[in-house]
């Protein structure tokens, strides 16, 4: 071993060994239990950021650990390569999106390999490869033939900046999820996947995903948004038409005094025609189209609308009620028509007050004092039915069921279920995406492309349009084609597919990325799928994760797979955060643009004092970002990996700390020095593996500590993925080894002590190997093991007879109140005790999402967590 640990020589050496020996390449092996570990694949932006490093390090630890436990581990990597960012960057840099994308892939592949991640690079794929999206187009055609895909004209979410449609899931707080600009409503033709056909199944199986975080399941349940109630028909006066409404409050129907239609409702302009209200209605509809749905329905937003000049009939009392279009009604919920009951809905109450519409109470409050405020606000509670014909005097909950039966008996309506979830609009009006494989024929209508002509390739000789928009509609060689049916002239569809289509099945393609007989090799998918552990950000809860669950159901219904859920377990890692730095003259500063002087921070550009802001998620806009490449060049990949694992449990946010990185580097050097000091004695010594009772007191203590550490680290990784406490346990073991080193020199150590030290050092290397694989491989080889063998070594197993040790009881408090207790080894230090306290399930429940201000360990007896 070299005297000093040099990661710049050690790490590339072992990365080359792994690549030359195909250490992480796998095939199906029926004799071995499989484990499919997958992190959400990245968009090839050109540079990995520290969030990537954290995410992929977490996954790599699990993959390496499971491999050491004897599993046949699939751990692939690829590229979510289509999308608007590549197209916009190509416009900005006057290049082709394909060239820009593949150059970025090459750069990021190099960066990921430099981190030492154990990917099977032989399975690498890019979704912009025609051999990938060919099968996506094939599936689109199969879905179209089975009625799972349709085309319609509708109001869609339109981003003017990106010049394309967005799915509902891609609109965040009224803004485009990509560029952050306000989203408008626009009427366009587009293609839709019938995800609503699976709404109930997707909802039901949320309760069966035991390995998913509850917060993600809650987000999916809320997005699917199941509501039960009644669908009721309100006849339009003077016509044969009727308006169908869905309501969750059929018990209030006698109090319905007006009807509201969404501005996008197809009957709005029809009902206003010839009433003298046409101009006012058209102006209102146009104005609403320029606003996002989120802005329209916020509680703070004033309720406004326009009378259509038409009336409908309340079917239960034949009351004539006016029809309005209003900003708070949405086509995305129910039928786009709202039965408005101002006495018992606050939104309706405010609207009725504003426009002078009658308010009729139909539920008398159970608490009479509550009813005294009814003139000032709507009453939304339970009570006795009044002004409700034959249902007067009944409790409204009983009347709820009786009224539905009444509707069905008299042909007025029926029991119904409604979902917030809407069909997935997958059409995009941009170039860099998979072309929709359909043809428009003047004779035959819309016809699928012949399967033998797949893939429909994107033309490469294109000029991207400044400011967005697709050049495909102006590319004559692409558009002009032959009808697959009548062989006459036809025009090709110019929409491309939403990039979330590609990411909804890539995990299946990894199982057989070179298979050319279909989307994937059925035998390979049968062996590897479903994914055992999926890792990625919670921001994908109602887009990628929901779409992937839907897509897998489509594949199952087509007989292509025999499972309906793609991911057995899901880990959503926390964000990486750092304090911001702000200069009054130069705005936000990158870390390298500020310097410490005289216990203060100053701007390097102007010398002014810098304001240190709060700790926030790392972002380019706030410039509080760290370049992992620079860290790797200075400290090495193992140190960066160690920091990402040690600073915080994976599900929590990680606060960046330069001192934390330096601390990790010091620890690795400490292990290196210890190994080098004892190497001459240990290299030719067999590790002790006997019973602890046969050892003298000093080596016995280290031997027991070693097996306690194996047990703790195994449990921390296997049960909780709490790598921070696992690392802490190994640090304690290293401290114990230094305790012996401080008492005797290697030359003074007897055979017993030397054997136990060898066993302890090998254990340290095995336990750390998934986390810091390069330095551990180097020391492992120095001990005389075959080069590169640590990557496939077996995980250590603890001896039950070596676990006996004194323990102490630790009390856990949150803000001074008792919330839990646990036993821990008597020699555990304060940092280990604190870390274990933060894992306590009761403590976690009481901490919730509140930030932790301080963790105090008191006299080895209790830990107080201050939030």
């Amino acid at each position: 071993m070299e005297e000093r640990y040099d990661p710049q020589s050690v790490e590339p050496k072992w990365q080359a060994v792994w690549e030359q020996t195909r250490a992480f390449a796998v095939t199906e092996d029926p004799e071995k239990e499989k484990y499919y570990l997958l992190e959400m694949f990245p968009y090839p932006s050109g540079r990995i950021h520290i969030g990537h490093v954290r995410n992929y390090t977490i996954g790599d630890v699990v993959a390496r650990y499971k491999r050491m436990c004897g599993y046949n581990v699939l751990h692939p990597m690829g590229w979510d390569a289509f999308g608007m960012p590549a197209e916009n960057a190509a416009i900005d840099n006057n290049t082709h999106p394909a060239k820009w994308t593949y150059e970025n892939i090459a750069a990021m592949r190099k960066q990921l390999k430099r981190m030492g991640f154990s990917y099977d690079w032989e399975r690498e794929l890019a979704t912009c490869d025609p051999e990938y999206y060919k099968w996506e187009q094939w599936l689109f055609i199969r879905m179209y033939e089975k009625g799972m895909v349709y085309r319609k004209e509708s109001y869609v979410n339109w981003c003017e900046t990106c010049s394309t449609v967005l799915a509902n899931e891609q609109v965040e707080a009224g803004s485009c999820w990509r560029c952050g600009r306000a989203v408008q409503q626009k009427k366009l033709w587009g293609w839709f996947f019938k995800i609503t056909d699976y709404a109930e199944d997707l909802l039901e199986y949320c309760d069966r995903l035991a390995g998913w975080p509850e917060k993600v399941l809650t987000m999916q349940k809320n997005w699917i948004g199941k509501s039960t109630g009644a669908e009721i028909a309100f006849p339009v006066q003077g016509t044969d038409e009727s308006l169908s409404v869905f309501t969750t409050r059929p018990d209030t129907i006698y109090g319905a005094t007006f009807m509201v239609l969404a501005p996008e409702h197809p009957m709005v302009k029809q009902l206003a025609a010839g009433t003298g209200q046409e101009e006012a209605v058209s102006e209102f509809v146009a104005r609403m189209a320029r606003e996002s749905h989120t802005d329209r329905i916020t509680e703070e937003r004033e309720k406004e609308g326009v009378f259509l000049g038409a009336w409908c009939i309340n079917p239960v009392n034949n009351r004539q009620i006016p029809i309005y279009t209003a900003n708070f009604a949405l086509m995305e919920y129910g039928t786009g028509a709202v039965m408005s009951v101002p006495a018992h809905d606050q939104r309706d109450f405010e609207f009725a007050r504003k426009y002078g519409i009658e308010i009729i109470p139909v539920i008398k409050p159970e608490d009479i004092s509550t009813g005294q405020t009814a003139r000032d606000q709507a009453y939304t509670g339970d009570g006795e039915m009044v002004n409700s014909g034959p249902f007067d005097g009944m409790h409204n909950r009983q009347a709820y069921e009786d009224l539905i039966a009444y509707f069905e008996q008299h042909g007025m309506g029926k029991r119904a279920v409604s979902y917030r979830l809407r069909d997935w609009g997958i059409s995009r009006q941009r170039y860099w995406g998979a072309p929709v494989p359909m043809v428009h024929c003047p004779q035959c209508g819309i016809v699928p492309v012949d399967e033998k002509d797949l893939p429909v390739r994107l033309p490469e000789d294109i000029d991207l349009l400044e400011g967005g928009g697709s050049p495909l509609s102006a590319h004559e060689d692409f558009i002009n084609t032959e009808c697959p049916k009548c062989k006459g002239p036809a025009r090709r569809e110019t929409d491309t597919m939403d990039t979330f289509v590609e990411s909804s099945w890539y995990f299946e393609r990894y199982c057989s990325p070179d298979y050319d007989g279909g989307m994937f090799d059925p035998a390979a998918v049968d062996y590897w799928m479903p994914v055992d552990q999926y890792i990625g950000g919670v921001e994908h809860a109602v887009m990628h994760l929901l779409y992937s669950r839907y897509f897998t159901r489509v594949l199952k219904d087509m007989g292509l797979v025999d499972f309906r859920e793609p991911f057995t377990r899901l880990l959503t890692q926390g964000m990486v955060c750092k304090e911001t730095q702000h200069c009054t003259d130069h705005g936000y500063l990158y870390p390298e643009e500020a310097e410490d002087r005289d216990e203060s921070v100053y701007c390097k550009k102007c010398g002014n004092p810098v304001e240190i802001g709060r700790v926030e998620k790392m972002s380019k806009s706030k410039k509080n970002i760290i370049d992992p490449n620079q860290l790797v060049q200075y400290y090495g990949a193992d140190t960066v990996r160690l920091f990402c694992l040690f600073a915080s449990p994976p599900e929590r946010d990680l606060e960046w700390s330069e001192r934390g990185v330096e601390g990790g580097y010091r620890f690795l050097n400490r292990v290196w020095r210890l190994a080098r000091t004892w190497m001459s004695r240990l290299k030719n010594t067999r590790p002790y593996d006997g019973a602890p009772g046969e050892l003298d007191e000093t080596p016995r203590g280290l031997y027991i500590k070693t097996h306690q550490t194996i047990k703790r680290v195994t449990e921390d990784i296997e049960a909780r993925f709490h790598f921070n406490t696992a690392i802490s346990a190994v640090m304690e073991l290293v401290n114990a080894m230094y305790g012996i080193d401080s008492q005797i020199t290697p030359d003074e150590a007897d055979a017993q002590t030397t054997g136990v030290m060898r066993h302890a050092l090998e254990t340290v290397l095995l336990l750390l190997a998934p986390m810091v694989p390069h330095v551990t491989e180097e020391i492992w080889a120095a001990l005389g093991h075959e080069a590169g063998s640590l990557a496939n070594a077996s995980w250590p197993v603890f001896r039950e007879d070596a676990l006996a040790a004194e323990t102490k009881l630790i009390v856990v408090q949150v803000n001074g109140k008792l919330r839990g207790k646990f036993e821990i080894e008597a020699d555990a230090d304060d940092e280990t005790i604190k870390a274990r306290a933060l894992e306590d399930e009761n403590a976690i429940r009481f901490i919730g999402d509140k930030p932790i201000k301080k963790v105090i360990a008191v006299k080895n007896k209790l830990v107080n967590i201050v939030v």
Side-chain angles (χ1 to χ4, degrees):
M1 289 178 63
E2 297 295 328
E3 182 177 354
R4 295 182 59 81
Y5 166 52
D6 178 16
Q8 304 311 324
S9 62
V10 168
E11 292 177 349
K13 166 185 170 182
W14 292 107
Q15 289 160 13
V17 170
W18 297 329
E19 188 164 349
Q20 291 162 8
T21 59
R22 301 177 65 241
F24 310 118
V26 291
T27 57
E28 297 79 54
D29 183 354
E31 301 302 314
K32 294 182 72 175
E33 187 175 355
K34 68 93 180 179
Y35 192 88
Y36 188 173
L37 186 286
L38 184 64
E39 306 99 4
M40 294 178 186
F41 64 169
Y43 171 76
S45 61
R47 299 177 71 86
I48 64 171
H49 53 68
I50 201 69
H52 286 130
V53 173
R54 187 189 190 200
N55 186 15
Y56 302 149
T57 299
I58 291 168
D60 197 52
V61 172
V62 179
R64 286 176 176 271
Y65 165 74
K66 289 294 184 179
R67 188 177 292 107
M68 294 175 73
C69 289
Y71 288 88
N72 192 26
V73 176
L74 174 58
H75 188 206
M77 174 51 69
W79 313 96
D80 191 9
F82 271 141
M84 287 182 287
E87 194 169 334
N88 292 338
I91 293 171
D92 293 341
N93 294 284
N94 194 28
T95 188
H96 194 283
K99 181 176 185 292
W100 188 86
T101 297
Y102 281 109
E103 286 176 352
N104 285 354
I105 286 174
M108 291 181 70
R109 184 193 302 117
K110 183 178 180 181
Q111 291 170 331
L112 292 177
K113 286 187 174 183
R114 183 62 185 85
M115 290 303 304
F117 297 135
S118 60
Y119 294 127
D120 181 353
W121 283 105
E122 295 174 15
R123 295 173 182 265
E124 182 183 11
L125 59 81
T127 58
C128 62
D129 183 346
E131 290 306 308
Y132 180 87
Y133 65 74
K134 165 186 177 178
W135 298 110
E136 189 173 301
Q137 293 173 337
W138 176 88
L139 184 68
F140 183 100
I141 293 171
R142 298 285 86 77
M143 292 172 68
Y144 178 77
E145 292 170 345
K146 289 182 174 290
M148 295 176 163
V149 181
Y150 63 92
R151 185 173 184 261
K152 72 171 182 178
E153 186 180 29
S154 64
Y155 282 95
V156 294
N157 303 307
W158 178 261
C159 177
E160 190 65 36
T161 304
C162 297
S163 297
T164 194
V165 170
L166 303 173
N168 288 339
E169 294 84 351
Q170 294 164 338
V171 179
E172 299 175 348
S175 300
C176 172
W177 74 295
R178 278 291 190 195
C179 70
R181 301 295 176 86
V183 171
Q184 303 174 3
Q185 294 299 295
K186 188 174 184 178
K187 201 167 190 180
L188 287 177
W189 284 93
W191 293 95
F192 292 81
F193 285 165
K194 295 179 71 175
I195 190 173
T196 52
D197 285 352
Y198 294 86
E200 186 62 35
D201 194 59
L202 288 165
L203 183 64
E204 178 189 339
Y205 271 74
C206 282
D207 292 327
R208 304 189 191 187
L209 294 172
W212 283 44
E214 191 60 39
K215 62 182 177 182
V216 173
L217 297 175
T218 299
M219 291 168 75
Q220 290 212 358
K221 289 177 181 179
N222 291 341
W223 190 260
I224 295 169
K226 181 178 181 179
S227 298
T228 57
E231 192 171 312
I232 309 166
F234 283 67
V236 178
Q237 189 176 49
T239 75
D240 294 330
E241 303 274 3
S242 64
L243 291 170
S244 177
V245 305
F246 171 79
T247 179
T248 59
R249 293 296 307 272
D251 52 322
T252 64
I253 188 170
Y254 279 89
T257 58
F258 64 102
M259 177 72 68
V260 167
L261 302 184
E264 302 86 7
H265 196 288
M267 290 185 67
V268 166
K269 292 187 178 179
Q270 174 187 331
L271 291 174
T275 66
Q277 289 291 97
E278 298 95 330
E279 184 177 346
V281 170
S282 293
E283 187 279 331
F284 181 79
V285 170
R287 182 158 57 87
M288 289 301 103
R290 295 191 294 271
E291 296 188 14
S292 73
H293 286 180
T294 306
D295 289 341
R296 279 168 46 185
I297 63 174
T298 55
E299 290 186 10
E300 297 77 21
R301 177 66 187 273
E302 183 183 3
K303 312 302 180 283
E304 60 175 325
V306 175
F307 176 47
L308 298 185
W311 304 75
C312 63
I313 306 300
N314 186 327
V316 295
N317 56 17
N318 292 318
R319 178 187 293 273
Q320 177 181 286
I321 61 176
I323 307 173
Y324 285 75
T325 182
N327 60 346
F328 59 81
L330 301 177
M331 282 302 297
E332 280 68 32
Y333 185 77
T335 63
V338 179
M339 175 191 90
S340 298
V341 184
H344 303 291
D345 182 279
Q346 187 61 29
R347 177 195 60 191
D348 296 346
F349 179 87
E350 294 170 10
F351 191 90
R353 276 288 188 86
K354 181 174 182 177
Y355 292 100
I357 303 172
E358 187 176 7
I359 300 174
I360 302 175
V362 292
I363 297 176
K364 184 169 67 175
E366 294 172 336
D367 180 358
I368 197 64
S369 63
T370 308
Q372 293 172 357
T373 64
R375 293 181 180 179
D376 302 315
Q377 63 186 33
Y379 175 67
T380 58
D382 293 334
E384 179 185 330
M385 300 283 286
V386 295
N387 300 320
S388 299
F391 300 94
D392 280 354
M394 293 178 65
H395 192 275
N396 69 297
R397 290 296 166 188
Q398 179 188 347
Y400 181 103
E401 294 296 332
D402 290 356
L403 274 159
I404 293 177
Y406 182 80
F407 301 152
E408 293 177 336
Q409 181 182 352
H410 292 83
M412 299 173 180
K414 61 183 179 180
R415 185 182 302 276
V417 175
S418 181
Y419 297 91
R420 180 190 178 204
L421 182 68
R422 285 293 178 261
D423 283 339
W424 177 10
I426 59 104
S427 283
R428 297 294 178 267
Q429 294 68 41
R430 296 295 293 244
Y431 164 73
W432 193 233
V436 173
M438 304 298 282
V439 166
H440 298 268
C441 174
Q443 302 300 322
C444 306
I446 298 176
V447 183
V449 170
D450 196 303
E451 187 176 322
K452 66 179 176 57
D453 295 326
L454 296 178
V456 177
R457 294 174 180 265
L458 285 172
E460 295 185 7
D461 56 332
I462 51 94
D463 292 318
L464 294 175
L465 306 180
E466 197 69 39
S470 174
L472 295 178
S473 56
H475 195 288
E476 293 298 320
D477 289 343
F478 178 79
I479 293 176
N480 295 321
T481 188
E482 180 184 86
C483 173
K485 200 169 184 180
C486 71
K487 308 306 178 184
R491 293 178 66 81
R492 198 181 296 282
E493 173 65 70
T494 58
D495 283 353
T496 54
M497 293 191 228
D498 181 3
T499 55
F500 280 101
V501 178
E502 283 87 66
S503 61
S504 293
W505 69 283
Y506 78 106
F507 35 86
E508 274 118 356
R509 186 66 181 175
Y510 274 143
C511 298
S512 51
D514 299 321
Y515 185 68
D516 61 2
M519 295 181 73
F520 38 74
D521 181 350
V525 165
D526 186 56
Y527 177 80
W528 290 114
M529 288 293 293
V531 173
D532 294 282
Q533 181 67 60
Y534 200 34
I535 301 174
V538 72
E539 66 271 16
H540 296 292
V542 294
M543 288 192 284
H544 165 58
L545 291 170
L546 185 63
Y547 293 152
S548 297
R549 295 182 63 215
Y550 157 67
F551 230 64
T552 304
R553 283 160 169 75
V554 170
L555 296 175
K556 185 177 189 301
D557 285 354
M558 291 191 173
L560 298 174
V561 302
D562 62 1
F563 51 91
R564 59 181 359 116
E565 291 294 347
F567 314 121
T568 302
R569 295 181 64 188
L570 172 69
L571 171 67
T572 53
Q573 84 282 354
M575 298 180 293
V576 182
C577 305
K578 189 182 186 304
E579 62 190 13
T580 58
Q581 300 181 118
H582 189 270
C583 171
T584 53
D585 289 345
H586 296 100
Y588 286 109
L589 302 176
Y590 289 109
E592 61 271 19
E593 294 176 332
E595 62 180 348
D596 294 328
R597 270 190 288 119
D598 303 325
E599 299 184 356
S600 295
V601 181
Y602 297 89
C603 176
K604 287 184 178 179
K605 298 178 180 180
C606 62
N608 287 336
V610 169
E611 178 187 354
I612 304 300
R614 61 190 180 91
V615 175
E616 300 183 49
K617 174 187 175 182
M618 286 189 180
S619 68
K620 292 180 181 177
S621 61
K622 299 289 180 70
K623 298 185 177 181
N624 59 336
I625 56 177
I626 297 294
D627 183 358
N629 298 313
Q630 293 179 4
L631 292 171
V632 170
Q633 290 171 14
Y634 189 82
Y635 294 105
D638 278 345
T639 295
V640 179
R641 292 169 60 116
L642 188 68
F643 170 75
C644 289
L645 296 167
F646 186 57
S648 174
E651 70 278 5
R652 289 189 172 272
D653 291 348
L654 181 154
E655 184 176 341
W656 179 258
S657 165
E658 189 76 30
R659 283 183 295 180
V661 177
E662 292 170 353
Y665 185 65
R666 286 195 302 271
F667 171 67
L668 295 184
N669 275 278
R670 202 158 183 258
V671 173
W672 182 275
R673 288 194 304 272
L674 181 67
R676 188 176 184 280
T677 299
W678 283 79
M679 188 57 65
S680 60
R681 284 300 307 274
L682 301 187
K683 190 171 184 178
N684 299 311
T685 300
R686 286 177 55 83
Y688 180 79
D689 61 357
E694 299 176 8
L695 295 169
D696 294 337
E697 182 179 354
T698 298
R700 182 170 68 248
L702 178 60
Y703 191 66
I704 289 172
K705 182 69 174 177
T706 301
H707 284 272
Q708 290 173 343
T709 304
I710 295 172
K711 183 175 187 293
R712 282 180 54 188
V713 172
T714 303
E715 290 174 351
D716 282 341
I717 295 177
E718 186 69 45
R720 296 179 291 273
F721 290 173
H722 279 192
F723 311 116
N724 57 327
T725 53
I727 293 168
S728 179
V730 178
M731 288 178 171
E732 288 183 35
L733 177 57
V734 171
N735 288 342
M737 295 173 70
Y738 265 103
I740 289 181
D741 180 69
S742 66
Q743 298 173 30
I744 55 173
T745 66
D747 291 337
E748 297 170 344
D750 58 23
Q752 205 179 71
T753 301
T754 306
V756 170
M757 282 292 279
R758 165 102 189 203
H759 174 68
L761 180 59
E762 287 196 348
T763 298
V764 167
L765 300 177
L766 289 165
L767 297 180
L768 287 178
M771 306 170 197
V772 287
H774 308 89
V775 64
T776 50
E777 282 276 20
E778 182 74 10
I779 301 173
W780 186 257
L783 283 169
H785 292 285
E786 181 183 349
S789 63
L790 184 57
N792 294 303
S794 295
W795 187 255
V797 178
F798 58 84
R799 292 178 60 114
E800 291 287 349
D801 61 354
L803 295 180
E806 292 185 10
T807 63
K808 56 189 174 186
L809 180 67
I810 302 295
V811 171
V812 183
Q813 297 179 341
V814 177
N815 290 342
K817 295 183 179 179
L818 176 64
R819 298 305 186 195
K821 301 175 183 178
F822 62 86
E823 294 274 348
I824 196 168
E825 292 80 6
D827 60 348
D829 60 21
D830 281 355
E831 293 306 312
T832 303
I833 294 171
K834 289 179 185 178
R836 188 69 65 86
L838 291 170
E839 288 182 333
D840 184 81
E841 291 182 2
N842 289 326
I844 291 171
R845 190 168 70 252
F846 283 99
I847 293 169
D849 294 329
K850 295 186 285 292
I852 296 172
K853 298 178 181 177
K854 194 184 302 182
V855 182
I856 306 166
V858 182
K859 296 182 180 178
N860 284 327
K861 293 181 179 180
L862 68 84
V863 174
N864 185 25
I865 303 168
V866 182
V867 296

